[in-house]
Amino acid sequence: MSAPSLLLLDLDGVLRRFGPDAPIEDRFGLPRGTLARVSFSLSGPAVVGEVTDERWRGVVRDQLVRDGVPADRAAGAVAEWTRVGEVVPEALELVRRARERCRVALLSNATDRLPRDLAELGLDREVDAVVTSARLGVAKPSPEAFRRALRVLQHSASGTLFCDDTAVNAEAARTVGIDAVHTPDFPALHGALASRGLLDEGPTGPAGGPGDALLVVLHDRGDAEEAARELVEAGWSPCAVHRDLLAGEDDAEDADWVVELVAGPDGQPAAAHRGLLEELAARYDGFVTD
């Protein structure tokens, strides 16, 4: 397979990250999760360019007031929440390396404010083009967003690699013929680019050696099966679930349920995604082991 001539990247969760909302909510006396819940429930028109970013944030502020938040606290919380985030430095280094070999563009679900944010972060100089849902009039994961983006970029689907930290967006890109990879963390992004010859490291084959596997150990069978389903939906395969007598074969009460993983969705060893798997295990009060 020839290397792609266009690397199309999601922005948030791949090349840019934000700190948690909780400190802002605590400072202004809002219940945890309020800012994300209210803002994203009202973001639709702004994300497809029907209203400005400023108008959207005003609507969020007004909704908080209707929900009982004093006007000054609502305004302060929204103002502080309106931040530009920060660049993920290790991801930017990969982009710079890939850009020596192909064109790089961003495809982001974003409002009309994004160009200002990119300029402030310096990312406008790190890519060749930026395409936003506000410009396209349609957002990911609609397949039409990818079709329109390719038309704007004047590029073919077959020569494009798309990376996104949301699995459903990667799946949608595949429906229009794009080579798309779910990249929820840095190892996944590195693996996607390296395996397609964009990092001058040569292609990497699928993992499979005994040292590559990891076990997600959970105490409840239902939790193990649910975690396995989540991983399968994210592109992991195989996800073998079995019972393991970790405390000794004669102590059946201490048996745990294990999700055995060898390779991630990008073909890299499961061990390369250990941090992601540890976060998953922690949600079920489990742990990860070799």
Side-chain angles (χ1 to χ4, degrees):
M1 180 178 67
S2 59
S5 50
L6 172 66
L7 172 59
L8 190 59
L9 291 172
D10 178 36
L11 175 62
D12 295 332
V14 176
L15 196 51
R16 177 173 71 167
R17 61 191 173 204
F18 291 91
D21 295 340
I24 301 172
E25 292 165 334
D26 292 347
R27 195 152 37 248
F28 290 94
L30 303 179
R32 295 279 182 94
T34 296
L35 288 171
R37 175 180 57 80
V38 175
S39 61
F40 290 114
S41 71
L42 299 171
S43 65
V47 167
V48 296
E50 294 175 359
V51 301
T52 65
D53 182 273
E54 183 178 5
R55 175 58 182 156
W56 165 53
R57 294 178 194 272
V59 170
V60 172
R61 182 189 61 240
D62 294 345
Q63 182 61 53
L64 291 174
V65 173
R66 285 193 292 271
D67 290 344
V69 179
D72 59 339
R73 282 168 39 197
V78 172
E80 193 164 327
W81 183 73
T82 305
R83 56 217 197 274
V84 299
E86 63 179 10
V87 176
V88 181
E90 58 269 30
L92 177 58
E93 179 59 28
L94 293 185
V95 168
R96 288 171 172 167
R97 292 167 61 187
R99 199 177 177 198
E100 296 176 359
R101 295 164 178 78
C102 73
R103 189 180 177 201
V104 177
L106 298 178
L107 173 57
S108 177
N109 284 352
T111 69
D112 64 350
R113 173 192 153 132
L114 184 62
R116 286 172 284 164
D117 284 359
L118 294 177
E120 184 170 340
L121 293 168
L123 287 176
D124 57 334
R125 303 185 297 273
E126 301 288 355
V127 297
D128 300 295
V130 178
V131 184
T132 67
S133 57
R135 176 183 179 184
L136 299 175
V138 62
K140 300 175 294 184
S142 170
E144 183 61 22
F146 296 97
R147 296 189 188 97
R148 294 185 187 184
L150 290 175
R151 286 198 292 271
V152 168
L153 296 167
Q154 299 184 340
H155 206 275
S156 67
S158 61
T160 301
L161 170 64
F162 173 65
C163 297
D164 197 298
D165 70 319
T166 302
V168 67
N169 290 340
E171 292 167 4
R174 293 186 200 110
T175 68
V176 302
I178 294 173
D179 177 19
V181 183
H182 177 215
T183 54
D185 52 26
F186 173 76
L189 180 64
H190 181 277
L193 272 56
S195 64
R196 288 155 177 84
L198 293 180
L199 300 180
D200 198 25
E201 296 176 351
T204 58
D212 298 328
L214 288 178
L215 304 177
V216 176
V217 184
L218 306 175
H219 306 302
D220 180 79
R221 177 177 182 175
D223 288 346
E225 292 176 344
E226 181 178 339
R229 282 194 296 272
E230 181 178 338
L231 289 164
V232 168
E233 290 173 359
W236 290 75
S237 179
C239 293
V241 178
H242 57 84
R243 203 176 191 199
D244 198 355
L245 300 177
L246 295 177
E249 295 185 3
D250 295 329
D251 194 355
E253 291 186 358
D254 289 329
D256 283 304
W257 290 89
V258 171
V259 184
E260 185 174 2
L261 302 161
V262 175
D266 56 357
Q268 295 299 296
H273 303 277
R274 191 179 192 109
L276 178 70
L277 296 174
E278 287 177 343
E279 290 179 8
L280 173 68
R283 296 209 311 266
Y284 296 97
D285 295 323
F287 61 93
V288 173
T289 187
D290 298 335

